[in-house]
């Protein structure tokens, strides 16, 4: 009477079980997604190749999109350095402004990015032109836009276009260059 032993499944060298195969595929797809997002972020400054996050966010989570405000040119304010500094987010009742190449933008819709303790708070309430070029985000960095090279101005054009065309940020005035300290 011969008892039959349960048969073992053996894998030959180079073969994978279905579970291992699915794990490898899942890890590969996840790696490709993260690599694509990182590459997109590095090349375009956006996680999804220039798709507007606010559109993706509102489609997925139903959040309302801010309405772009357009202020007539004759109503744009001319700020001094001291006046602009008041709009740094420390007073939540005031809007949040940044300046780039002397153009002052209301970025209140991005308070999570520009407000106190946020990633780009350094830009709030000041002219950030030189910071966009140099990457210097600490007190004592040079300010203003006088003396920029044509290459630096070209690099800044991307950011001017970003703020000019952003669906939630809008131009509110200009910064008087001679008032920059």
């Amino acid at each position: 009477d011969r008892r039959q032993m349960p048969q073992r499944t053996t894998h030959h060298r180079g073969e994978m079980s279905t579970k291992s195969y699915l794990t490898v595929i899942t890890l590969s797809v996840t790696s490709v997604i993260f690599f694509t997002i990182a590459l997109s972020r590095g090349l375009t400054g956006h996680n999804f190749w220039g798709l507007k996050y606010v559109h993706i966010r509102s489609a997925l989570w139903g959040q309302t999109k801010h309405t772009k405000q357009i202020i007539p040119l004759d109503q744009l304010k001319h700020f001094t350095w001291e006046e602009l500094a008041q709009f740094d987010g420390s007073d939540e009742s005031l809007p949040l402004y940044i300046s780039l190449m002397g153009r002052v933008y209301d970025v209140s819709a991005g308070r999570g990015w520009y407000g106190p303790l946020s990633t780009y708070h350094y830009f709030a309430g000041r002219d950030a032109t030189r910071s966009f070029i140099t990457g210097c985000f600490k007190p004592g960095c040079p300010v203003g836009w006088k003396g920029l090279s044509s290459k630096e101005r070209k690099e800044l054009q991307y950011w001017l276009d970003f703020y000019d065309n952003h669906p939630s940020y809008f131009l509110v005035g200009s910064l008087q260059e001679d008032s920059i300290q």
Side-chain angles (χ1 to χ4, degrees):
D1 189 19
R2 207 169 145 190
R3 294 187 189 189
Q4 215 163 8
M5 300 287 290
Q7 293 193 2
R8 291 186 185 186
T9 304
T10 58
H11 296 287
H12 297 292
R13 189 174 293 208
E15 289 185 11
M16 291 193 302
S17 69
T18 303
K19 187 176 181 180
S20 297
Y21 183 71
L22 290 175
T23 301
V24 168
I25 287 178
T26 302
L27 290 174
S28 298
V29 169
T30 304
S31 296
V32 168
I33 290 170
F34 282 113
F35 174 76
T36 302
I37 290 171
L39 184 62
S40 170
R41 186 78 175 161
L43 294 176
T44 67
H46 302 281
N47 289 338
F48 302 102
W49 299 103
L51 293 175
K52 300 289 185 193
Y53 174 72
V54 70
H55 297 140
I56 295 168
R57 184 182 63 209
S58 62
L60 294 176
W61 294 287
Q63 295 179 359
T64 57
K65 182 178 156 188
H66 294 276
T67 304
K68 177 90 171 176
Q69 295 184 24
I70 298 175
I71 298 174
L73 289 175
D74 62 341
Q75 293 181 17
L76 292 176
K77 180 167 176 40
H78 300 287
F79 292 88
T80 65
W81 181 262
E82 293 82 20
E83 291 170 329
L84 180 61
Q86 296 172 25
F87 299 94
D88 66 351
S90 57
D91 181 348
E92 289 191 25
S93 67
L94 294 176
L96 201 56
Y97 293 168
I98 68 165
S99 172
L100 185 62
M101 294 278 295
R103 300 172 62 113
V104 179
Y105 295 93
D106 184 325
V107 294
S108 300
R111 194 167 287 275
W113 292 104
Y114 299 98
L117 304 176
S118 297
T119 307
Y120 301 116
H121 177 66
Y122 178 78
F123 299 150
R126 68 180 71 218
D127 181 77
T129 303
R130 297 280 177 174
S131 294
F132 274 79
I133 294 172
T134 64
C136 184
F137 305 119
K138 56 186 176 193
C141 293
V143 295
W145 57 95
K146 273 189 181 175
L148 293 176
S149 70
S150 60
K151 180 184 175 193
E152 290 170 328
R153 288 182 182 274
K154 188 176 180 181
E155 288 175 25
L156 287 167
Q157 189 58 52
Y158 168 84
W159 292 108
L160 288 171
D161 292 342
F162 171 82
Y163 288 102
D164 285 339
N165 297 312
H166 194 281
S168 304
Y169 303 155
F170 53 95
L171 184 68
V172 293
S174 62
L175 181 62
Q176 297 171 12
E177 189 169 27
D178 58 356
S179 73
I180 296 177
Q181 299 173 340

